[in-house]
Amino acid sequence: MANVDSRSVSDARKIAAGRAPDRFPTLENASSPTEINDTLLRHFFPPRPSPPPPLILPAFKDVPPVSPAEVSSALRKSANTSAPGPSGIPYSIWKQVHKANEELLPALFTPLLTYGYHPLAMKKANGIVLDKPGKHDYRTPTSFRMIVLLETISKVLERLSALRLASAARSLDLLHPNQCGSLAGLGCFDAVATLTHEVRLLQAASFKVSTLFLDVKGGFDNVCANKLANTLTKGGVSAYLVAWINSFLSKPQCRLIFQGTPKVFCPVAVGTPQGSPISPLLFVLYIASLHPTIPQGLAISYVNNLTITVGSDSVRSNIRALQYFFGIVQRRGAELGVAFSVPKTELIHWRTPKDRSDVSFAPIVINDMLFAPSQAVRWLGYWLTPTIHSSVHFLRRLALTKASFTSIRQLSAAGKPLSSWFNRKLVFGAIFPILTYGCDLFVSGHCHS
């Protein structure tokens, strides 16, 4: 506890709450650890086609060698506290290696990019199986979740490649202008601010405005490596980078970790690996074509969260327009093998604070499912109401702050209280960020404590 500071508040909370014992998976029709392992693997990694590794590895020309500065940049963004992969080597070791000899890691990574190859040893991962809290029945695989721990040395190369790919994506215009997330300088605030700005612009033109909130089902698992490679090649991405991405996505292996696990590596089929620094960017590039052009409105996305906003003279016309543009998005998604989690769909009819007309409760039908308009939608951590009022958002933030404060109070139990200085650091590290999240959108000007 003496070493916990405001940057590791979650560690302090875990220490105070204690650790629940691991639950042994007791699955139906699976009695031995091997059978349980196979059942969980089929659940977490459903069978799907995987690109075969190339038989011949030609050396690509004009590949920029990896510089020590690139490695330093990748390592700088890698936290020493991140759990390592199967080898058990943490980021701190690679940082020490790079500090001792800054030419070593570039000499390792440059040939891999030159030949467009990602070694099999670097594609092995541990899958930590955890039970989902609050489930009534733990006899099915759906009651468990998995955290994938990749090799740290692989993630350094992935982060380095992601920086190169992001630069190419910007210069080649491979991303839709209304895509946010996975790129530096385009975060949650940018997506929500763009949405609310578009709503107010349409309202200023005396339009009724409605927005449909969609969620891509499965996210990264939907990425088809061959289609992604074709998209990148047609977009003008360097051949060596496309080849390395294809190799990186082919033939990964995972070892599930749970009580009694056989601890064997098994080939798995995934779209883009969970926890990889480059996976979000690959996914964003993969779904860039989903965004339709809307004459009176806008389609905005943040990674796998997509919104369609339309404006017209009536709410009924908005509903018809939203159904039409959803059909376009759904068809484009089907071509990519991407589907939407329709039950998670939400609808909102926006209003101006001075609007005195009757509130519209007109629903929308999507894939034979009826969705009534919501009076509060949580999108990217922001609570949005039809009038874009801040009260609902900050009431929710206040409730979260109180819950966090209750957890922090456990750290100052009677008889062994923390110092006032330490409590102050916890407040600034945990309480204020939770409470003030959203000030940038809902409060004009800068947000001061």
Side-chain angles (χ1 to χ4, degrees):
M1 282 299 298
N3 297 323
V4 177
D5 58 20
S6 59
R7 293 170 298 178
S8 55
V9 174
S10 60
D11 294 336
R13 293 175 64 178
K14 290 177 182 177
I15 293 172
R19 185 176 183 274
D22 293 329
R23 184 186 300 273
F24 180 79
T26 54
L27 307 179
E28 293 180 339
N29 303 321
S31 55
S32 68
T34 301
E35 292 176 346
I36 293 173
N37 186 79
D38 294 342
T39 302
L40 290 173
L41 280 174
R42 286 193 297 270
H43 169 68
F44 292 128
F45 305 102
R48 56 178 296 136
S50 178
L55 299 179
I56 301 176
L57 297 174
F60 293 93
K61 298 180 180 180
D62 302 324
V63 178
V66 176
S67 66
E70 286 182 289
V71 176
S72 297
S73 178
L75 286 171
R76 195 179 304 117
K77 298 179 180 180
S78 305
N80 291 340
T81 55
S82 296
S87 68
I89 302 176
Y91 283 118
S92 57
I93 297 296
W94 300 118
K95 291 180 180 180
Q96 293 176 29
V97 169
H98 189 59
K99 183 178 180 180
N101 184 352
E102 64 177 16
E103 298 296 334
L104 184 60
L105 292 181
L108 171 66
F109 293 148
T110 297
L112 297 180
L113 294 180
T114 300
Y115 286 89
Y117 179 68
H118 198 69
L120 295 176
M122 293 170 65
K123 290 189 281 189
K124 292 185 177 182
N126 283 340
I128 311 300
V129 180
L130 303 172
D131 55 281
K132 297 178 181 178
K135 293 289 183 179
H136 297 291
D137 187 0
Y138 287 91
R139 292 178 295 175
T140 62
T142 55
S143 300
F144 296 86
R145 60 189 178 93
M146 180 183 61
I147 298 176
V148 177
L149 303 179
L150 305 174
E151 288 287 8
T152 50
I153 186 62
S154 175
K155 293 174 73 172
V156 175
L157 177 56
E158 293 160 32
R159 195 179 300 277
L160 184 153
S161 301
L163 293 173
R164 290 191 175 190
L165 181 60
S167 176
R170 288 182 182 275
S171 61
L172 298 171
D173 292 327
L174 299 182
L175 294 165
H176 192 276
N178 299 329
Q179 281 185 291
C180 298
S182 307
L183 290 172
L186 292 175
C188 295
F189 167 74
D190 301 281
V192 180
T194 303
L195 171 62
T196 55
H197 177 71
E198 181 67 17
V199 169
R200 290 187 173 111
L201 279 180
L202 292 170
Q203 289 176 334
S206 301
F207 288 127
K208 299 289 185 181
V209 188
S210 303
T211 296
L212 196 65
F213 296 83
L214 303 170
D215 182 79
V216 176
K217 185 178 182 180
F220 300 166
D221 288 339
N222 290 320
V223 175
C224 173
N226 292 331
K227 293 180 181 179
L228 175 63
N230 290 335
T231 299
L232 297 178
T233 301
K234 290 179 181 177
V237 176
S238 299
Y240 82 90
L241 202 50
V242 176
W244 178 86
I245 291 170
N246 219 29
S247 176
F248 166 67
L249 296 178
S250 67
K251 306 300 180 183
Q253 295 185 1
C254 184
R255 176 176 63 184
L256 295 186
I257 305 297
F258 56 89
Q259 280 192 9
T261 175
K263 292 186 177 182
V264 293
F265 286 102
C266 300
V268 295
V270 295
T272 56
Q274 179 193 134
S276 168
I278 199 174
S279 287
L281 178 57
L282 294 178
F283 178 76
V284 167
L285 289 168
Y286 188 69
I287 66 167
S289 61
L290 289 184
H291 300 69
T293 300
I294 305 174
Q296 291 176 181
L298 203 63
I300 307 166
S301 70
Y302 182 89
V303 191
N304 63 330
N305 297 279
L306 177 68
T307 67
I308 302 175
T309 300
V310 297
S312 69
D313 295 331
S314 69
V315 172
R316 295 290 180 184
S317 297
N318 287 348
I319 291 173
R320 289 192 293 269
L322 288 173
Q323 290 173 324
Y324 171 76
F325 287 112
F326 174 78
I328 293 177
V329 172
Q330 191 175 42
R331 287 191 294 273
R332 292 181 181 179
E335 294 174 359
L336 296 173
V338 170
F340 292 91
S341 183
V342 177
K344 296 181 180 180
T345 301
E346 292 190 89
L347 169 70
I348 192 168
H349 298 311
W350 306 97
R351 296 169 57 86
T352 63
K354 296 182 179 180
D355 191 348
R356 297 294 180 264
S357 62
D358 293 337
V359 176
S360 175
F361 296 99
I364 189 172
V365 176
I366 299 292
N367 289 1
D368 299 325
M369 297 183 67
L370 185 70
F371 297 93
S374 302
Q375 296 307 303
V377 173
R378 183 179 182 271
W379 195 56
L380 307 182
Y382 293 80
W383 284 93
L384 304 174
T385 62
T387 58
I388 317 181
H389 198 274
S390 62
S391 59
V392 171
H393 174 81
F394 285 113
L395 283 174
R396 304 277 183 154
R397 303 308 304 179
L398 182 60
L400 291 174
T401 303
K402 290 180 177 178
S404 181
F405 177 71
T406 300
S407 297
I408 290 177
R409 285 185 63 182
Q410 298 176 19
L411 302 175
S412 295
K416 293 183 179 180
L418 297 176
S419 67
S420 57
W421 173 86
F422 191 83
N423 278 322
R424 185 175 183 273
K425 294 202 72 174
L426 286 176
V427 167
F428 277 95
I431 300 298
F432 278 8
I434 295 174
L435 182 61
T436 58
Y437 184 85
C439 284
D440 46 8
L441 179 74
F442 293 106
V443 180
S444 59
H446 295 284
C447 177
H448 300 284
S449 58

